[in-house]
Amino acid sequence: MHHPDLILLNARFLDPVGGGAGAHSALASTDGVITALGDDREIRALAGPGTVVIDLKGAVVTPGLVDGHTHPASGAELTAGVDLSRCVSLDDVRAELGRAKESLADGAWLHAWGLDPNVFGEQAVAAAALAPVLDGIPALLQLFDAHSMLASPRALELAGIDGPRTFDQAAEIVCDSAGRPTGLLLEDAACELVERAAPRPTRAERRERLARTLREMAASGLTGGHAMDANGDSLELYEELDAAGELAVRLRVAPWCQPGADADAVSRLVQLQERGGQLWSVDGVKLFMDGTIDNGTAWLERPDCHGESTHAFWPDPAAYTEVIAALHRAGVPTATHAIGDAAVRHALDSVAKARAGAPGDVRHRVEHIETVPDDTVRRFAELGVIASMQPTHCCDFTRADHSDNWSRRLGEERAGRAWRCRDLWDAGASVVLGSDWPIAPYPPLEVLAGARHRRPSRDLTQPPHGLEQALTGTEALRAMTVNAAYAAGEERTAGRIAVGFRADLTAFAVDPVAAPATELPDVPVQLTVLGGRVTHRAASL
């Protein structure tokens, strides 16, 4: 007899689809798959000498939570600096940077991340606002959206930047009226000019940071993530960690396709789909249709209040459409970053054209979808395009009174249709939730909570931004389990608690659906199981 590898007893199972799991109190898994559900007595009887048996003491078990949009490798590196994400004023930022500067070695670079442009209020986002703390030191401060950064005067000098540049894709070195750089760099092509001048961590350091980040993600309740980049040597790092048994989160990776990609580049992306291991795989391609609203680099159907956000990230949007069609014909799912209404519309138009030319069940998705009109909402279900959304962005970077930078740029009408999770859900779209970490925190309970309360996590007494767009507890859970599995084409093997499904499981001290949304982030994660292997276990078990 082949005994189970793992048995869980005294549990309360919460399967988002039902499936009878709620009638059972125990589960067995063998070779990473759920092989039996029943009561404690009958499941305990299946144990062999090598079976790990855990009494969950009444914990609530859900299918393993999956972050629908995350950047583990690049995020692990980016968050090695000073965390500015909790700063709400320029004084807060100066204080954090000042403390970091005190321990900085001579000539060393100061790195920081999570800078919220709202701390600058009505004034321009510029390095001068952080003088004198940045005077004389090379510093790179990532803004929260990771599409822009502030470089100190010394960093610009070391990078040889003393004026504007022209780029092949949407990017800008922001300069004042005299042509002098202000320190603000918009989009990757501009940011990379300064990043290349900064010292890089060693490969061993990056590997350890990634492994540690994935362990911490598992401790927060995550069993999976849809990784939206394959930059640098991240695939090799995933491969190494997987082979060493150190990959604590199951990853579905979508490498980038940038503007200018020719037929050979697209062919290489198709071939890359064959790569993977036990707990990771390349499955899909990530594209960008625009930048961000806060930067003025989104693609809107009408300009923002500064006359910006009027252009696509692809200089020739028709070329993007051709790439979508080529990937669709090859059976490769795509994930398109589209924040503005024009960007989302073009992405949907491109999928419609691809489907008309080559019918087939290729599950394309649009990422972010921050503001769209009614006619766009209903097209997601009509075209079978997955809506991948990050409600914590609405919670933490906008305000109900529209006094934040995002809302001011858009104006009342468009700010009033922010992150339309409810409307997309009710229209029949498959909604997947994620964090976009390191843009927002990765703990999945924060994502589930934000989808329900839509309030600033720093101050939950503040009013919600668009409470009519909130999801219920069950819907939010489905969006990080069942719908995430569907987006990956794994609805027959993942996202459920049922015999024959993967033993990816998360256990909580209380029911995450019934718990008040504002209390949900503090609910203890008791156990995380990945393919039948325990990746996190609370000391109380």
Side-chain angles (χ1 to χ4, degrees):
M1 178 180 179
H2 190 30
H3 297 288
D5 304 308
L6 175 70
I7 284 177
L8 304 180
L9 303 173
N10 193 12
R12 291 180 290 157
F13 294 109
L14 179 58
D15 180 39
V17 181
H24 306 297
S25 63
L27 172 153
S29 80
T30 308
D31 296 330
V33 175
I34 297 171
T35 49
L37 286 161
D39 61 33
D40 286 8
R41 180 188 56 77
E42 61 185 328
I43 298 301
R44 186 190 292 272
L46 301 176
T51 303
V52 175
V53 180
I54 300 176
D55 184 343
L56 288 179
K57 302 177 182 178
V60 176
V61 180
T62 71
L65 300 184
V66 176
D67 191 323
H69 188 124
T70 185
H71 302 271
S74 57
E77 185 171 341
L78 185 151
T79 56
V82 181
D83 183 359
L84 302 176
S85 63
R86 299 296 177 182
C87 295
V88 296
S89 69
L90 280 175
D91 285 341
D92 290 345
V93 174
R94 293 187 189 105
E96 289 290 341
L97 296 177
R99 282 190 285 271
K101 183 178 178 180
E102 290 175 1
S103 59
L104 206 62
D106 289 343
W109 285 60
L110 191 157
H111 292 270
W113 61 282
L115 178 61
D116 186 343
N118 286 299
V119 303
F120 293 86
E122 299 287 345
Q123 65 178 297
V125 179
L130 298 174
V133 69
L134 295 184
D135 290 350
I137 64 168
L140 280 178
L141 317 180
Q142 282 272 3
L143 271 74
F144 78 86
D145 61 7
H147 283 251
S148 52
M149 62 173 52
L150 267 183
S152 68
R154 178 58 176 156
L156 293 173
E157 179 186 357
L158 291 172
I161 295 176
D162 57 7
R165 301 276 182 94
T166 300
F167 300 96
D168 293 333
Q169 56 189 249
E172 182 182 0
I173 297 170
V174 178
C175 296
D176 62 20
S177 58
R180 296 183 296 262
T182 65
L184 182 60
L185 308 169
L186 303 180
E187 301 300 336
D188 283 345
C191 296
E192 286 172 359
L193 293 177
V194 185
E195 288 176 312
R196 287 199 293 264
R200 297 270 297 159
T202 67
R203 192 177 190 284
E205 289 171 335
R206 287 187 290 109
R207 184 188 187 281
E208 175 49 35
R209 286 176 188 168
L210 176 57
R212 182 172 63 250
T213 295
L214 294 172
R215 290 194 299 270
E216 291 168 351
M217 286 181 169
S220 75
L222 285 172
T223 63
H226 296 173
M228 291 297 168
D229 66 70
N231 298 336
D233 59 353
S234 59
L235 296 184
E236 287 74 19
L237 291 174
Y238 296 146
E239 192 169 45
E240 285 183 19
L241 293 175
D242 192 21
E246 298 178 48
L247 202 59
V249 174
R250 193 184 303 274
L251 297 174
R252 178 179 186 263
V253 186
W256 286 359
C257 179
Q258 296 278 29
D262 58 16
D264 288 341
V266 173
S267 178
R268 287 193 293 272
L269 286 168
V270 173
Q271 293 169 8
L272 200 57
Q273 306 299 306
E274 301 172 2
R275 288 197 61 178
Q278 182 179 357
L279 292 172
W280 71 280
S281 64
V282 176
D283 189 9
V285 169
K286 169 78 178 295
L287 305 96
F288 293 82
M289 203 63 250
D290 65 353
T292 69
I293 287 166
D294 281 286
N295 280 344
T297 56
W299 187 18
L300 299 172
E301 294 179 337
R302 302 192 316 274
D304 66 16
C305 69
H306 299 299
E308 298 176 337
S309 284
T310 58
H311 301 290
F313 184 73
W314 285 61
D316 179 8
Y320 161 89
T321 301
E322 293 173 2
V323 170
I324 292 291
L327 292 168
H328 178 82
R329 288 193 299 271
V332 177
T334 63
T336 297
H337 168 121
I339 281 178
D341 44 18
V344 176
R345 189 182 301 277
H346 189 82
L348 294 174
D349 287 345
S350 298
V351 171
K353 187 173 181 179
R355 290 201 189 287
D361 185 24
V362 183
R363 294 178 189 176
H364 301 289
R365 21 191 305 169
V366 175
E367 310 296 317
H368 308 310
I369 319 165
E370 293 186 4
T371 178
V372 290
D374 292 345
D375 65 335
T376 303
V377 168
R378 63 174 178 266
R379 294 187 69 201
F380 278 84
E382 292 169 359
L383 292 170
V385 174
I386 290 142
S388 173
M389 306 187 75
Q390 299 77 44
T392 44
H393 295 195
C394 182
C395 294
D396 288 343
F397 305 129
T398 70
R399 295 292 178 269
D401 63 3
H402 297 168
S403 62
D404 58 280
N405 181 57
W406 185 93
S407 299
R408 291 198 310 270
R409 277 186 173 268
L410 286 178
E412 286 298 310
E413 177 194 350
R414 291 181 291 193
R417 55 186 194 220
W419 284 269
R420 299 179 68 173
C421 299
R422 163 57 53 203
D423 289 343
L424 282 158
W425 190 286
D426 288 349
S430 179
V431 177
V432 173
L433 298 182
S435 67
D436 198 12
W437 185 79
I439 311 308
Y442 58 70
L445 288 175
E446 294 189 29
V447 177
L448 294 174
R452 293 168 58 188
H453 65 59
R454 294 176 68 98
R455 299 173 185 271
S457 61
R458 301 185 188 103
D459 184 359
L460 292 171
T461 65
Q462 294 295 312
H465 189 168
L467 188 58
E468 73 280 0
Q469 295 299 333
L471 299 179
T472 67
T474 299
E475 289 166 345
L477 180 62
R478 285 179 63 100
M480 297 194 77
T481 54
V482 178
N483 291 3
Y486 176 81
E490 298 175 338
E491 67 271 23
R492 292 182 176 86
T493 58
R496 299 277 313 282
I497 299 178
V499 172
F501 279 64
R502 282 200 305 238
D504 292 356
L505 305 161
T506 310
F508 304 96
V510 301
D511 184 339
V513 168
T518 54
E519 299 175 12
L520 193 54
D522 297 323
V523 168
V525 178
Q526 300 294 85
L527 189 76
T528 310
V529 176
L530 177 63
R533 172 171 62 96
V534 174
T535 54
H536 164 73
R537 183 172 181 174
S540 58
L541 294 182

